Amino acid sequence: MNQIFIGIDHGGTNTTALVLDLNKGILSTASISMPKYTPKDGWVEHSPDDFLDTSIQACDLALKKAELKWSDVNSIALANQGETSMAWDEKSNLFSTAISWEDRRTEKICNELKKENVDQLIRDKTGILLDPYFSASKFKWLLQNEKKLSSSIKRKHLRLGGTDTYVIDRLTKGSVFATDKGTASRTSLLNIYSGEWDEELTSAFNIETNSLPNLKKTIDDYGLINHPNIPSSKIKITADVVDAHAALFAHGCVDSSRIKATYGTGAFIEINTGKKMLKPDGLLPIFIAWELNKGIEYTIEGGVFSVGSTIDWLFKNHFLKDINSSSDLIENIKGKNSVFMIPSFTGLSAPHWISNAKAIINGIGLDTTKEDIIKAAFDGIAFQCAEVINLLAQKQDNEIFEVCADGGPANNNYLMQKQSDLLNMEVKVSKEKNMTAFGAALLAALGANQIKLTDLKDFAVDYETFTPRISSDQREYEWDIWNKNIQILKGDRKKYE
């Protein structure tokens, strides 16, 4: 039997495919840029077919690099964007825009639903809260505003889902309409206690349950690929997983001893709590991590919305000339920097949950340079992530001793050292750059019954370790400044409400 597996990662800026040979390890990776559109302030969207097309193109390129063909592939798996949401017609090529997880256009919808006590309903039945970040309000917006879908609704041909459900639907010619329970737990429509769609929740958003995907395990039969651009009819789709959870799996975080932090467009930081679901507190979301062969496992997660997007903002606005040299540039800044930045460009997430927050820069003087602002931006990223990590550690009675990090921004040595300093904790950065796609490939192999969970140790990656360098007094001083700036942000927001 073929021992070649492909993991596909639907990232915020790129779609990445990784080719894994169970005998030789990772053979190749390839990334294709994912088009992104921002038609209005707070709006971030894609075309659904861009997820399909870039998935196939990335796989084509990765296979070419590995000198393989599609016929060599056993199975594939998808690591999806979680909350990115779209609608389409099961009988035609008609589809809506894909509303990104970064998008905030449904804030008004959420505010209206809060008046109807829908927020409390969601808190009672799910591990999350009512916020534009999650999928349900995006689905509601699409149903209200995508008029071209009205006939699909009347004929009961409407399908709602994320990047995974759409791509699987198209790769299988519509024969499989499904998602995994981990992805479904990020919609605000899944009852986390029963693991099923909840009719009271779907009714609150005026969504018919039959328009939502069928629920499957993370490793399951997601059909055979049947697509004109893939010259093989024997390739199976054997796993579907949220991107953050794929990276969690790749790090081998199958217990609660370590925190995983994936730094990408945003940062997604979580602990696998196993079969024990912590009680939701409204600050840190509780999700289903995955369902493998021995039941559902849970995760507690904190997200930081603007990480890679903050770095892109620095580049687009000519603060940074070269993203790859930013670490050296910051480390060469001399003197005390009084500039402070909270880079909450698309809202402030856990534990504050201020959906309409904007980024702020504080402490600019006549002597402030663009290098000072660059440093303040990276420091702001580190503080936001450290705040989430500290909260997660508290949930585990502070029995967390290290952070396992991955993703593009994790390659910035200054950022990772700052993270370690603020946390007073070791930060271990994976030397494998594509942990999300790697985790998806491992799950594809697990779903095809070609490896077992006990085999994960054979695929362990190497790490670079960062250890704390600053004194406790310095750490306390810096946290005090951060907390004061958070209060400034909250105060400024209230002025304009």
Side-chain angles (χ1 to χ4, degrees):
M1 182 177 285
N2 293 351
Q3 297 291 291
I4 303 299
F5 297 87
I6 299 179
I8 301 170
D9 170 21
H10 291 153
T13 54
N14 297 294
T15 296
T16 298
L18 180 146
V19 178
L20 173 67
D21 184 320
L22 296 185
N23 298 312
K24 299 177 182 178
I26 297 170
L27 298 183
S28 65
T29 60
S31 295
I32 301 293
S33 178
M34 165 58 69
K36 181 189 293 188
Y37 311 98
T38 52
K40 295 182 182 180
D41 181 41
W43 290 34
V44 185
E45 59 190 42
H46 307 270
S47 166
D49 268 351
D50 285 337
F51 290 104
L52 174 65
D53 295 341
T54 57
S55 296
I56 296 172
Q57 291 164 16
C59 288
D60 284 340
L61 186 54
L63 287 169
K64 184 178 180 180
K65 286 183 177 181
E67 298 182 347
L68 294 170
K69 299 177 181 178
W70 275 105
S71 57
D72 296 313
V73 178
N74 179 309
S75 307
I76 72 167
L78 299 173
N80 67 73
Q81 281 193 7
E83 298 79 10
T84 297
S85 306
M86 59 206 78
W88 64 98
D89 189 303
E90 66 172 311
K91 300 292 185 180
S92 72
N93 290 323
L94 187 69
F95 52 75
S96 71
T97 188
I99 303 178
S100 169
W101 61 269
E102 299 176 84
D103 190 282
R104 312 304 292 175
R105 75 184 68 181
T106 64
E107 187 175 332
K108 183 178 178 181
I109 289 174
C110 290
N111 288 336
E112 291 171 349
L113 289 171
K114 283 179 181 177
K115 296 174 184 176
E116 301 171 13
N117 295 319
V118 174
D119 180 46
Q120 190 58 51
L121 179 68
I122 292 170
R123 290 172 187 265
D124 290 343
K125 295 197 168 199
T126 77
I128 54 182
L129 69 162
L130 179 61
D131 189 85
Y133 174 55
F134 302 110
S135 307
S137 64
K138 302 181 198 297
F139 290 148
K140 185 175 178 67
W141 189 95
L142 290 170
L143 295 177
Q144 289 178 342
N145 293 278
E146 291 277 359
K147 302 304 181 185
K148 61 186 176 182
L149 294 172
S150 58
S151 61
S152 303
I153 296 170
K154 290 177 183 177
R155 296 196 306 269
K156 307 291 186 182
H157 292 170
L158 183 74
R159 290 184 167 182
L160 300 170
T163 67
D164 58 326
T165 305
Y166 182 79
V167 172
I168 291 168
D169 181 276
R170 293 314 197 210
L171 286 179
T172 62
K173 280 196 172 179
S175 65
V176 178
F177 177 48
T179 191
D180 90 307
K181 291 182 180 179
T183 307
S185 71
R186 307 176 85 94
T187 62
S188 304
L189 301 172
L190 185 93
N191 187 313
I192 200 165
Y193 302 99
S194 68
E196 302 294 337
W197 298 122
D198 188 286
E199 288 192 8
E200 196 173 3
L201 290 170
T202 56
S203 176
F205 288 91
N206 295 323
I207 293 170
E208 293 190 15
T209 305
N210 61 13
S211 66
L212 295 170
N214 298 313
L215 297 171
K216 289 180 173 285
K217 296 191 301 182
T218 304
I219 52 170
D220 211 324
D221 179 6
Y222 287 89
L224 285 170
I225 292 178
N226 182 8
H227 192 278
N229 293 340
I230 298 178
S232 177
S233 60
K234 297 181 180 180
I235 301 170
K236 297 171 288 185
I237 306 172
T238 54
D240 177 34
V241 65
V242 176
D243 49 9
H245 303 168
L248 188 74
F249 191 79
H251 281 288
C253 295
V254 293
D255 58 33
S256 59
S257 63
R258 295 181 291 173
I259 289 177
K260 184 277 307 181
T262 296
Y263 298 78
T265 302
F268 297 96
I269 305 161
E270 58 191 333
I271 300 173
N272 178 355
T273 62
K275 290 184 170 56
K276 177 186 177 184
M277 184 182 75
L278 298 183
K279 185 177 179 180
D281 62 5
L283 297 178
L284 293 170
I286 306 294
F287 297 119
I288 292 173
W290 48 62
E291 184 178 10
L292 305 180
N293 290 324
K294 294 185 178 180
I296 289 174
E297 295 184 20
Y298 299 91
T299 179
I300 182 169
E301 179 183 297
V304 176
F305 294 150
S306 299
V307 176
S309 54
T310 295
I311 300 170
D312 288 341
W313 179 84
L314 292 171
F315 183 73
K316 283 193 306 181
N317 289 282
H318 309 294
F319 289 97
L320 266 179
K321 291 182 179 179
D322 179 10
I323 291 174
N324 295 323
S325 64
S326 57
S327 182
D328 292 337
L329 184 150
I330 298 168
E331 289 173 351
N332 288 328
I333 294 175
K334 305 297 181 184
K336 186 178 179 180
N337 181 14
S338 63
V339 181
F340 214 89
M341 181 175 183
I342 301 177
S344 47
F345 288 96
T346 54
L348 197 60
S349 58
H352 307 286
W353 293 107
I354 304 173
S355 62
N356 61 349
K358 296 293 185 181
I360 66 166
I361 303 175
N362 188 26
I364 294 177
L366 292 175
D367 60 342
T368 298
T369 66
K370 65 180 181 180
E371 288 78 14
D372 292 330
I373 292 174
I374 293 168
K375 182 177 183 296
F378 276 89
D379 286 349
I381 292 169
F383 272 104
Q384 283 186 279
C385 294
E387 194 169 44
V388 171
I389 292 167
N390 280 332
L391 276 172
L392 289 170
Q394 289 170 21
K395 288 288 186 180
Q396 297 300 117
D397 297 323
N398 293 310
E399 293 181 358
I400 305 293
F401 303 104
E402 65 181 21
V403 176
C404 297
D406 67 273
N411 297 323
N412 186 290
N413 287 347
Y414 175 82
L415 178 60
M416 292 298 99
Q417 184 58 57
K418 188 70 177 180
Q419 202 73 94
S420 177
D421 288 341
L422 292 175
L423 291 166
N424 195 28
M425 191 184 298
E426 280 193 352
V427 175
K428 297 172 64 175
V429 180
S430 168
K431 293 184 178 180
E432 169 52 50
K433 307 303 182 188
N434 296 288
M435 291 294 278
T436 301
F438 183 39
L442 289 170
L443 284 164
L446 187 67
N449 295 315
Q450 295 303 297
I451 61 171
K452 300 176 181 177
L453 272 177
T454 53
D455 296 326
L456 280 183
K457 62 182 183 300
D458 298 329
F459 298 94
V461 300
D462 294 326
Y463 291 89
E464 180 180 359
T465 302
F466 294 82
T467 57
R469 292 179 182 175
I470 65 174
S471 68
S472 57
D473 287 346
Q474 178 65 23
R475 185 176 303 108
E476 185 177 342
Y477 170 75
E478 293 190 18
W479 274 110
D480 184 57
I481 297 175
W482 166 260
N483 290 325
K484 287 177 179 176
N485 277 272
I486 286 288
Q487 293 307 312
I488 291 171
L489 183 147
K490 290 180 175 179
D492 283 350
R493 180 186 65 90
K494 289 178 180 178
K495 289 179 184 177
Y496 300 105
E497 284 185 338

